[in-house]
């Protein structure tokens, strides 16, 4: 019983940290909201033994669809699909914080025809790395190009 309580406490702790990290990132982004798709694609998930046990999104429902590589997608749909279907959790427990729209990486890196880089997820990455350093036995990684 004590082990279940400790696991539940850790899930709650990581859930709160995930939400704080997403909220902080959204308060510091430097891109302009147009369709809200990028903003709506932020989220976090806590996985235990391969199963998504808690999650949070910035949107409650799909917003405006955006055409990306001949497919209509919304930020909400992208984050839900990533957390519930695409992310492959590690054994044990994972906290993942992600912006799931594919062009988020382009904005962050200043790719394509952009003349500058935008703050999209780097602050959250730094906060996740700091959090990882506080939890014994944890590791930190970055998901890029859909891989980690």
């Amino acid at each position: 019983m004590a082990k279940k309580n400790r696991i539940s406490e850790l899930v709650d702790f990581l859930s709160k940290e995930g939400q704080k990290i997403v909220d902080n990132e959204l308060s510091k982004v430097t891109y302009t909201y147009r369709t809200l798709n990028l903003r709506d694609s932020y989220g976090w998930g806590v996985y235990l033994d391969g199963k998504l046990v808690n999650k949070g999104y910035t949107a409650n429902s799909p917003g405006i669809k955006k055409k990306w590589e001949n497919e209509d997608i919304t930020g909400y749909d992208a984050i839900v699909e990533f957390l519930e279907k695409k992310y492959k959790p590690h054994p044990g427990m994972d906290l993942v914080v992600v912006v799931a729209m594919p062009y988020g990486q382009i904005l962050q890196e200043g790719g394509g025809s952009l003349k500058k880089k935008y703050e999209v997820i780097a602050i959250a990455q730094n906060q996740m790395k700091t959090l990882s350093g506080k939890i014994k036995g944890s590791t930190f990684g970055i998901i890029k190009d859909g891989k980690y």
Side-chain angles (χ1 to χ4, degrees), residues 10-25:
L10 187 54
V11 168
D12 289 345
F13 170 76
L14 292 175
S15 298
K16 289 175 187 170
E17 289 298 309
Q19 187 62 54
K20 280 196 301 191
I21 290 168
V22 168
D23 290 344
N24 188 48
E25 180 64 57

Side-chain angles (χ1 to χ4, degrees), residues 2 5 15 18 24 27 38 42 70 76-77 84 103-104 113 142 145:
N5 287 341
S15 298
N24 188 48
S27 74
L38 187 56
Y42 286 83
N70 296 321
Y76 175 81
D77 291 336
E84 294 182 3
Y103 54 85
S113 62
I142 294 177
D145 298 322

